[in-house]
Amino acid sequence: MKVIKLGGSLLEQPDEMRALFASLSDIENNTVIVHGGGALAQQWLSNAGLKSEKHEGLRVSPQEHMPYIVGALAGCANKQLMSWAIAAGLRPIGLTLHEAGISCRRQSATLGQVGTCELFESGLITNLLKSGYLPLISSIGFGKQGEWFNVNADDAAVAVAANLDADLLFLTDVDGVLDSEGQLIEQLDSRSIDELTKSGVIRDGMLVKVRGALNAAKRLRRCVRIGSWNLMNQTHSGTQISE
């Protein structure tokens, strides 16, 4: 089983998304997709005249912002992905973390309704896959009292992968991590990541992706991959990140 975390930039690239779902239609249905949609949420909040702030990379999510965040992520972004999947002949089903068997709690009072995943149950995913569905899980979660939570999409993907004991792929718009000569680096671990970061080879947006993948590998205690949609069906494609 494989969990794919869609990078936010890909959600704004319709051609890439159509190609991704077309490739999924050619393989055995054992794939789960987890997504966020920060840019869309930002747009909805701005259109509503609400000021959105970030704290240590996380979007502060006060209660009054949540209808817009939920609408953007679990609504518009999720249903756009469903649209592309249906056009590719797949059977998508849009879900939140709750249906995936994951319960959430508030991460901190400072962040408002930003959630962290804490309780794991069996959920519906395995049965949905057996029935031929493609689960599309937004990074919206629920607490034990039914309260809404905005969960970081990387953290949501790790939680889903852990709950399903699945491999995790961070899908992005590049083939993987490249060296100083533009060649794909097939494997990285904590030590090599530190060295390449200090030398400036891994930097900016890719540094964020690599650190997220490394944290995921540590939490899952298994390798995590970073790659593009056209490499995802190749077992050893992209860059493999380990502890």
Side-chain angles (χ1 to χ4, degrees):
M1 191 180 301
K2 178 174 8 184
V3 172
I4 296 173
K5 188 271 176 174
L6 289 183
S9 61
L10 288 174
L11 298 177
E12 301 174 18
Q13 300 181 40
D15 291 342
E16 297 286 336
M17 288 294 90
R18 292 188 185 96
L20 164 64
F21 288 114
S23 71
L24 288 177
S25 66
D26 295 330
I27 63 175
E28 183 180 353
N29 193 5
N30 64 343
T31 301
V32 177
I33 290 178
V34 178
H35 70 89
L40 186 60
Q42 176 64 57
Q43 180 183 333
W44 281 37
L45 289 167
S46 296
N47 290 344
L50 296 171
K51 184 179 179 181
S52 180
E53 299 178 347
K54 287 193 174 183
H55 177 73
E56 296 181 351
L58 297 175
R59 186 181 305 280
V60 179
S61 304
Q63 191 68 249
E64 61 269 26
H65 288 195
M66 288 303 293
Y68 302 95
I69 295 172
V70 171
L73 273 59
C76 187
N78 190 270
K79 280 16 179 186
Q80 182 60 72
L81 290 174
M82 284 187 67
S83 177
W84 287 320
I86 291 169
L90 297 166
R91 299 177 66 199
I93 183 164
L95 308 169
T96 68
L97 292 169
H98 175 76
E99 293 93 330
I102 296 169
S103 181
C104 301
R105 63 173 173 81
R106 179 178 289 180
Q107 186 163 324
S108 75
T110 302
L111 296 170
Q113 293 304 109
V114 170
T116 185
C117 303
E118 65 168 1
L119 178 64
F120 302 89
E121 299 175 347
S122 58
L124 304 173
I125 304 302
T126 301
N127 288 335
L128 289 173
L129 290 172
K130 289 179 179 177
S131 299
Y133 287 99
L134 170 65
L136 303 175
I137 305 173
S138 72
S139 57
I140 294 297
F142 289 82
K144 294 179 181 179
Q145 302 302 316
E147 61 272 43
W148 286 340
F149 286 111
N150 178 22
V151 181
N152 175 270
D154 287 351
D155 293 341
V158 172
V160 172
N163 207 23
L164 297 173
D165 191 27
D167 294 329
L168 178 58
L169 169 62
F170 285 90
L171 208 63
T172 183
D173 51 4
V174 295
D175 290 341
V177 184
L178 307 181
D179 63 20
S180 58
E181 297 180 355
Q183 299 299 308
L184 179 69
I185 301 173
E186 295 184 355
Q187 293 186 328
L188 286 170
D189 57 20
S190 297
R191 181 177 178 180
S192 56
I193 289 170
D194 186 53
E195 292 174 351
L196 291 172
T197 300
K198 289 178 179 178
S199 65
V201 173
I202 300 177
R203 61 183 187 276
D204 303 328
M206 183 53 72
L207 179 58
V208 175
K209 293 182 180 70
V210 168
R211 284 177 173 168
L214 179 59
N215 288 334
K218 291 178 178 178
R219 290 169 63 183
L220 294 173
R221 295 192 174 278
R222 66 198 306 171
C223 296
V224 172
R225 286 191 296 143
I226 297 176
S228 63
W229 70 265
N230 58 335
L231 296 177
M232 58 169 288
N233 297 330
Q234 303 171 28
T235 305
H236 301 292
S237 63
T239 300
Q240 184 171 276
I241 309 290
S242 63
E243 295 184 67

